[in-house]
Amino acid sequence: MNFHEIKQPDKNVKVTMNVADVPNGETIYIYGATDLMYTINAAPGAVTKQEFYLNNKLIVGEKEVLHLDPSDLTGNDSDVLKVKVNLSSGNGSLAEVLGEEKSSFEFIYPIKYVNPQINLNINQRINSSKKLEIYWNKPNLEGAEIESYEVYNFNNLDQILLIKLQILAKLVLSMMIILRS
């Protein structure tokens, strides 16, 4: 069997997620250090207040970004992120200037850390048709259902990148066609 070992990403790589894209009440799964923010498409200054609470404790982030590490969580299923947001009305009234005219929203997300250690246990065998079969254990990642696998046989990684870009271009094109319909 011939395969290329791909270097694992640096352990300090962070994922950035906009929790405004996650429906209220949906579980947020993290697999390592993660930066969370709440950003909406609104006029500058429309978001007048934004607070993050982890397990009912106010967490102060940098520049409206919450840096969340798996060690910040209790490790059980009771971890909860609460985001409180105030939006101005934008009408410039005296009540708005005094901070009395606003819309307040609260979003609650259960948070679960999933340890991303995966042992696929890749093996090979010759089937009854005398063809080589490669098989492996299905990864068990809570919150991430594996839909498909891609197996490549190329001499260099540039070809893999080209194939992935072609697949991505086809996907974008098909999405544009669906949106036009």
Side-chain angles (χ1 to χ4, degrees), residues 54-55 66-75 79:
L54 183 60
N55 298 326
L66 171 65
H67 304 288
L68 189 61
D69 193 82
S71 62
D72 299 332
L73 303 175
T74 62
D79 291 306

Side-chain angles (χ1 to χ4, degrees), residues 47-144:
V47 177
T48 59
K49 183 178 174 186
Q50 176 178 316
E51 295 176 332
F52 291 100
Y53 293 81
L54 183 60
N55 298 326
N56 290 320
K57 179 182 172 192
L58 178 63
I59 306 294
V60 179
E62 295 177 23
K63 296 182 181 177
E64 301 175 349
V65 175
L66 171 65
H67 304 288
L68 189 61
D69 193 82
S71 62
D72 299 332
L73 303 175
T74 62
N76 57 33
D77 291 339
S78 64
D79 291 306
V80 175
L81 174 70
K82 186 184 301 183
V83 181
K84 292 184 177 182
V85 179
N86 288 348
L87 299 175
S88 68
S89 63
N91 64 14
S93 68
L94 180 59
E96 179 189 26
V97 171
L98 294 173
E100 297 300 319
E101 187 174 56
K102 63 183 178 260
S103 298
S104 297
F105 300 93
E106 183 174 292
F107 306 97
I108 297 175
Y109 306 96
I111 296 209
K112 181 151 179 111
Y113 169 68
V114 177
N115 188 341
Q117 298 300 320
I118 301 171
N119 181 9
L120 294 178
N121 194 23
I122 300 173
N123 290 299
Q124 64 186 17
R125 65 181 167 226
I126 304 295
N127 67 16
S128 60
S129 302
K130 304 243 188 249
K131 293 185 179 181
L132 176 66
E133 286 183 346
I134 299 173
Y135 61 99
W136 52 87
N137 296 340
K138 181 179 179 181
N140 186 14
L141 287 176
E142 186 175 350

Side-chain angles (χ1 to χ4, degrees), residues 138-139 141-148:
K138 181 179 179 181
L141 287 176
E142 186 175 350
E145 191 64 33
I146 306 299
E147 294 179 4
S148 65

